Each structure stands twice: as C-alpha cells, then as structure tokens.
C-alpha cells in the first residue's frame, strides 16, 4: 500500500489501524457516521446515498465490535468496518423497497445471505442505499418519495450512475469504505465509474444472490464497491463461496486471491479489441490508452483480439435482462403501474414486446458468445476496455420531478458492460483519472469465469497509474 501525497480515501486499513491502536473505537466511529448521515440529508442538495438507517441498530453493532477489539477477539478484517447494502437486498429491520414506492410495506425479518455474512464478519451495517427503481436504469435517477435522486460526490449536479447508485455515492462520499451492489447490466460498475471508486462484478453465481429481489436471474451478479482494489479483494474473499440457498453458485471452484500482490505483470497477456475499445469519448479514450501502456510497462503483453458479434451480444443481453424482469414483475406492472416511475414503465412496456422466440434466440447467442470467449481466454488472461464511454451526465431540474428516460444514454452507458453480464464472466472497474471538468474516468478489466484473482492483480497495478486522487466535493472524513 504505497503512501500517497495529497488526498486519499479512508479504507479498511485506516479503520483497522484506528481500532488496533485505540485511537478510535467502532462505537466512536458509529457516532460520527450517525452525525454525518443526519448532515448529508440536510445539505443542499441532499446526498440521498443512504435511504434507510437506524441509529439504534448502528450503535448496537458498533458496541459489540468495540467489545471484541477490547477483548482482542475480532471476527475478520471487516470487524467494525461500516458497510451499506443496496435496497435490493433484504436487511433486517429495513423495508425491502427495491427503489419503489410500493414494495416492502413491512420491515424485513430475515437477512439476505450477503447481509448475514457481513454481520458474521462483524461489519457495522449503516443502512440500505438508494437505487434506480427496480434496477431498470443506469442513471440512478429516482423521484420516488422514499428515495429522491442521489448526488454524485464528485459533481452534485451530475448523476451517480445506476442502478447501485446510493452504494457508489456512499463510498465516494466517505460514509463507508464498503458497499454492496448487484450488477445485471453494469449496475455495480457504472456507478463505481461515475463516482470514481472501485467496483467488482463477480463471476455469475460467485457471491450469493439469495435474499435479493430476483429481477433477472441469468445476468445478475453481486459485488463490492470500495475505495481500493485491496479492499474489494478483502470483501470478495469473505463473501465469495457456495450458498446452499443459491443453487447457481454451488459448483464453483474455491475463491482465491493468490498471486494478487505479484511485483509486476510479467507473463500476463491482455486482450484488446481496439475497434470496440475506441467507441468512447475522446477524453476517456486518451486516458484509457495510456493505462494500457502503463500495464505494458509492467511486463504484460498486449494482444489484439476480435470480440465477435458484439452488436448481437448487446441486443441479446437486453432481451434476456428485460424479458426476465418483465416476467418477474408482471403482477407489479398490472397492479402498480401508476406508482412506477416513467422510465420503469417504458422499459417494462418495451420488454412486453419481446416474444418467446426472441428469448430463445438470445440464449442461443449466449451459448455462441461463451464459446467465443473460451477461445479468446485460451490465448489471453483478460480483456481490457474503458469502463463507461463518457463521464457522469448532468442532472436537469425536470429529472428530479419526473425521472429521466434517455434510451440512447442507457444503451451507450452499458456498451462495455453487457458482455460480462451476458456470459457471466467477472469484471473489475478501477478509477484511472479525471476529465477536464473533474469527473472520474474508470478502466475495466474482464477475465475468464472464476478468475477474479487476475482482475485484482491487474487492478492493483492500475491504481498506481493514477497520479493523484481528487477529493470529492462532498466528502465526510469519518475518522477525523
């Protein structure tokens, strides 16, 4: 962990150092967080990252952690670490609203597997985070009365990205160093990229989705959003394992982070399809090309590859995710249509036009694309792309009242995301710099199924490329 001049985010290591040295206790940290949560909703505009929190719950978890530190019997590296979970997960005692105004009328009585594992690791769950309604968009815009649109800590007049919008905003604003999101079409990686933090989408099935609203069962993976690659590795290694309640991940190989801290990237082959890679804004392209050169300078070789049938992949992924969401949400669409946001209605209405034949053809494309990837991964260790083709878009006043439904933006924002969701491979996004307007730009690495370790190894080296970390304009230093 190289010491940096200037601003750096407070990560797991900083919290652990405070706790182990006795400088701060988890209980003191919890009180700071409660004060910050009260403050960030009173600010103009309100941050709206955490949409449900409970002072008593936060203090109880913190007191238990403080006792464990006093008795030197901590449970894991996450003991006493503040975390939040996307509202798509069931977390006791919060409402499982999934970004809507009509779901979760009663408080939850049972935790999602991920929430349960975080509790067992001793983490302090500070609440549940905002999200795009039902995960149906990539801006994070949500005019619902319980939610309101979260603000990007790097530019409060810009969107956070979605659908794990509040999770990325909470981490970038310093409210917690770890957040959990879900990713069916870039929903962890897009907000992480717009908010300038690290986001990992695990291999399909790697981290349990049990207790998460099953919006799209064939494209969604769970993953951590953190301030650093090292922190993402810690959270990944605690959450990634088979769950008897989640059959998709039962046959997975053991999760490992071995080789992650290798001194260089010698022997690694990085695949780039330059035509695909270059379909982004000039500012994004220029910095992403330099990041590729940086990885090369560390001993990796860059291999030109061709990603076949990417247009078909994009259409087929959209058909799969929207058909599955429409199938699951059919009763809601009929019964709660008037309570849904306009863009949710539009997306579900579009989905209702797909036929069984479309869905079957899309899944045949999936089999083809997985076959192509098997061949590609026999020659390279990973695939490199920019994370998102542009920086975070502006928020307009009308968006706050009626929502935002810009289909062309949605299609463009998920351009580099869909391949991993469609085929189930893991993807990692890492901040590598900023636009002239000061908005974050991230880079993406994808690897073969179950090979998250190589992503983390490359991710650590990508972090060294960034000459500085800019301080977000909304930032809370919990440890100060």
């Amino acid at each position: 962990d190289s010491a940096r001049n200037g601003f750096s985010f407070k990560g797991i290591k900083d919290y652990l150092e405070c706790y182990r040295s006795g400088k701060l206790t988890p209980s003191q940290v919890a009180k700071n967080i409660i004060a910050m949560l009260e403050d960030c909703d009173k600010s103009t505009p309100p941050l709206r990252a955490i949409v449900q929190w409970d002072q008593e719950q936060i203090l109880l978890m913190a007191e238990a952690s403080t006792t464990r530190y006093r008795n030197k019997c901590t449970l894991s590296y996450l003991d006493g670490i503040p975390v939040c979970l996307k509202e798509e997960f069931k977390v006791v005692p919060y409402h499982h609203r999934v970004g809507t105004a009509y779901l979760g009328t009663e408080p939850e009585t049972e935790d999602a597997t991920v929430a349960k594992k975080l509790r067992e690791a001793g983490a302090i769950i500070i609440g549940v985070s905002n999200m795009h309604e039902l995960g149906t968009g990539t801006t994070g815009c949500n005019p619902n009365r319980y939610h309101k649109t979260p603000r990007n800590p790097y530019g409060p007049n810009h969107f956070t990205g979605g659908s794990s919008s509040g999770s990325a905003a909470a981490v970038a604003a310093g409210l917690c160093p770890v957040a959990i999101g879900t990713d069916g079409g870039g929903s962890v990686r897009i907000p992480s990229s717009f908010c300038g933090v690290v986001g990992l989408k695990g291999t399909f099935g790697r981290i349990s989705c049990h207790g998460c609203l099953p919006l799209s069962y064939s494209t969604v993976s769970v993953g951590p959003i953190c301030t650093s690659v090292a922190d993402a590795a810690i959270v990944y290694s605690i959450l990634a394992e088979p769950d008897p309640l989640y059959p998709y991940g039962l046959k997975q190989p053991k999760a490992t982070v071995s080789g992650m801290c290798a001194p260089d990237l010698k022997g690694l082959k990085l695949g780039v399809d330059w035509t695909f890679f270059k379909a982004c804004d000039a500012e994004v392209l220029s910095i992403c090309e330099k990041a590729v050169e940086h990885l090369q300078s560390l001993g990796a070789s860059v291999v030109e590859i061709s990603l076949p049938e990417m247009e078909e992949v994009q259409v087929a992924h959209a058909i799969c995710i929207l058909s599955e969401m429409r199938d699951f949400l059919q009763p809601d669409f009929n019964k709660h249509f008037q309570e849904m946001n306009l863009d949710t209605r539009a997306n579900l209405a579009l989905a209702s036009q797909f036929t069984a034949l479309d869905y079957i053809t899309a899944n045949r494309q999936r089999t083809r694309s997985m076959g192509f990837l098997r061949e590609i991964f026999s020659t390279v260790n990973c695939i490199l792309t920019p994370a998102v083709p542009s920086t975070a878009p502006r928020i307009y006043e009308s968006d706050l009242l009626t929502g935002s439904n810009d289909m062309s933006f949605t299609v463009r924002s998920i351009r580099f995301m869909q391949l991993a969701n469609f085929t189930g491979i893991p993807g990692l996004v890492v901040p590598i710099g900023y636009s002239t307007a000061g908005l974050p730009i991230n880079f993406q690495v994808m690897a073969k199924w179950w090979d998250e370790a190589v992503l983390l190894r490359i991710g650590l080296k990508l972090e060294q490329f960034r000459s500085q970390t800019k301080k977000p304009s909304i930032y809370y230093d919990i440890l100060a």
Side-chain angles (χ1 to χ4, degrees):
D1 199 31
S2 53
R4 287 254 179 84
N5 301 332
F7 173 78
S8 64
F9 285 105
K10 297 288 192 289
I12 292 173
K13 185 167 169 259
D14 303 291
Y15 281 83
L16 294 180
E17 278 170 2
C18 282
Y19 296 158
R20 287 167 180 169
S21 66
K23 187 178 147 204
L24 280 172
T25 65
S27 292
Q28 287 166 307
V29 162
K31 285 179 185 138
N32 290 352
I33 290 170
I34 289 161
M36 309 293 183
L37 285 170
E38 284 169 347
D39 178 77
C40 67
D41 273 348
K42 287 188 194 129
S43 64
T44 314
L47 180 64
R48 297 308 292 156
I50 307 293
V51 287
Q52 298 181 59
W53 55 279
D54 181 310
Q55 182 169 334
E56 199 183 333
Q57 291 287 326
I58 297 170
L59 290 172
L60 275 174
M61 284 182 261
E63 278 157 24
S65 179
T66 301
T67 305
R68 290 191 294 271
Y69 275 98
R70 196 181 301 125
N71 299 333
K72 297 195 166 41
C73 62
T74 52
L75 299 169
S76 78
Y77 285 128
L78 290 184
D79 207 326
I81 303 297
V83 304
C84 69
L85 291 95
K86 184 179 186 177
E87 203 180 52
E88 204 171 315
F89 293 95
K90 293 182 176 181
V91 183
V92 179
Y94 302 110
H95 295 265
H96 190 215
R97 292 192 180 115
V98 201
T100 70
Y102 66 85
L103 285 174
T105 50
E106 296 298 316
E108 273 312 306
T109 54
E110 203 181 328
D111 275 330
T113 297
V114 170
K116 188 164 153 278
K117 287 181 90 72
L118 289 168
R119 282 190 213 274
E120 286 165 359
I124 302 170
I125 297 173
I126 66 166
V128 293
S129 47
N130 206 340
M131 64 178 285
H132 202 107
E133 185 181 68
L134 295 166
T136 54
T138 59
T139 57
C141 184
N142 189 347
N144 282 332
R145 66 180 184 275
Y146 295 122
H147 299 88
K148 299 297 173 212
T149 297
R151 302 298 181 134
N152 189 324
Y154 275 99
N157 294 325
H158 292 260
F159 284 119
T160 54
S163 63
S164 308
S165 50
S167 296
V171 171
L175 292 174
C176 51
V178 175
I180 308 297
T182 60
D183 191 314
S187 287
V188 158
R189 292 163 294 154
I190 293 169
S192 299
S193 304
F194 283 161
C195 295
V197 289
V198 172
L200 172 67
K201 176 198 104 64
T203 304
F204 178 75
R206 179 61 107 177
I207 298 173
S208 174
C209 272
H210 176 74
C212 188
L213 199 73
L215 292 165
S216 165
Y217 50 85
S218 78
T219 66
V220 173
S221 298
V222 175
I225 295 174
C226 300
T227 56
S228 71
V229 173
D231 286 5
I234 289 170
V235 181
Y236 163 75
S237 57
I238 286 173
L239 297 181
E241 66 173 1
D243 172 13
L245 300 170
Y246 185 64
Y248 297 126
L250 285 179
K251 293 275 196 279
Q252 62 177 280
K254 192 165 170 47
T256 156
V257 292
S258 67
M260 174 179 159
C261 297
D264 54 40
L265 298 178
K266 285 192 179 112
L268 285 186
K269 290 181 176 160
L270 316 177
V272 181
D273 178 332
W274 285 109
T275 312
F276 185 60
F277 190 101
K278 287 178 175 172
C280 58
D281 291 357
E283 220 172 2
V284 173
L285 178 60
S286 142
I287 197 163
C288 286
E289 285 177 330
K290 291 191 185 84
V292 174
E293 287 165 19
H294 166 72
L295 297 177
Q296 253 177 312
S297 74
L298 292 166
S301 56
V302 172
V303 180
E304 274 203 48
I305 58 169
S306 165
L307 292 170
E309 302 180 5
M310 284 311 293
E311 289 210 6
E312 288 83 346
V313 164
Q314 284 162 339
V315 173
H317 166 264
I319 290 170
C320 284
I321 188 168
L322 285 171
S323 298
E324 289 168 6
M325 288 174 109
R326 176 66 208 235
D327 166 54
F328 180 71
L329 294 168
Q330 184 67 31
D332 299 43
F333 192 68
N334 294 337
K335 198 168 151 206
H336 297 286
F337 182 81
Q338 293 305 330
E339 296 159 273
M340 288 177 168
N341 287 336
L342 295 174
D343 63 328
T344 308
R345 293 185 211 173
N347 280 307
L348 292 175
L350 169 68
S352 70
Q353 300 306 303
F354 298 137
T355 63
L357 188 61
D358 293 328
Y359 185 70
I360 290 165
T361 310
N363 275 291
R364 286 194 178 129
Q365 178 64 44
R366 193 192 314 249
T367 307
R368 280 177 69 83
S369 297
M370 288 170 85
F372 295 140
L373 282 180
R374 263 186 212 100
E375 283 171 44
I376 289 169
F377 286 127
S378 69
T379 59
V380 298
N381 299 89
C382 49
I383 297 169
L384 308 179
T385 70
V388 191
S390 63
T391 52
R394 268 198 74 94
I395 297 173
Y396 293 97
E397 281 304 308
S398 60
D399 297 335
L400 302 173
L401 301 170
T402 55
S404 163
N405 192 29
D406 182 345
M407 278 291 188
S408 62
F409 169 75
T410 306
V411 169
R412 193 157 186 259
S413 65
I414 60 177
R415 178 182 176 84
F416 298 120
M417 301 285 146
Q418 292 174 285
L419 182 64
N421 291 115
F422 189 51
T423 60
I425 59 173
L428 175 75
V429 296
V430 179
I432 54 167
Y434 306 88
S435 69
T436 45
L439 293 168
I441 293 171
N442 277 35
F443 189 85
Q444 175 172 246
V445 193
M446 294 176 281
K448 69 177 183 292
W449 300 271
W450 316 114
D451 197 5
E452 287 86 351
V454 77
L455 297 183
L456 297 164
R457 176 180 170 187
I458 295 166
L460 281 179
K461 297 292 181 267
L462 270 174
E463 280 181 319
Q464 297 168 2
F465 168 72
R466 193 170 77 239
S467 56
Q468 56 145 334
T469 303
K470 282 195 174 167
K471 187 176 177 180
S473 52
I474 303 174
Y475 185 73
Y476 294 95
D477 189 346
I478 303 291
L479 300 178

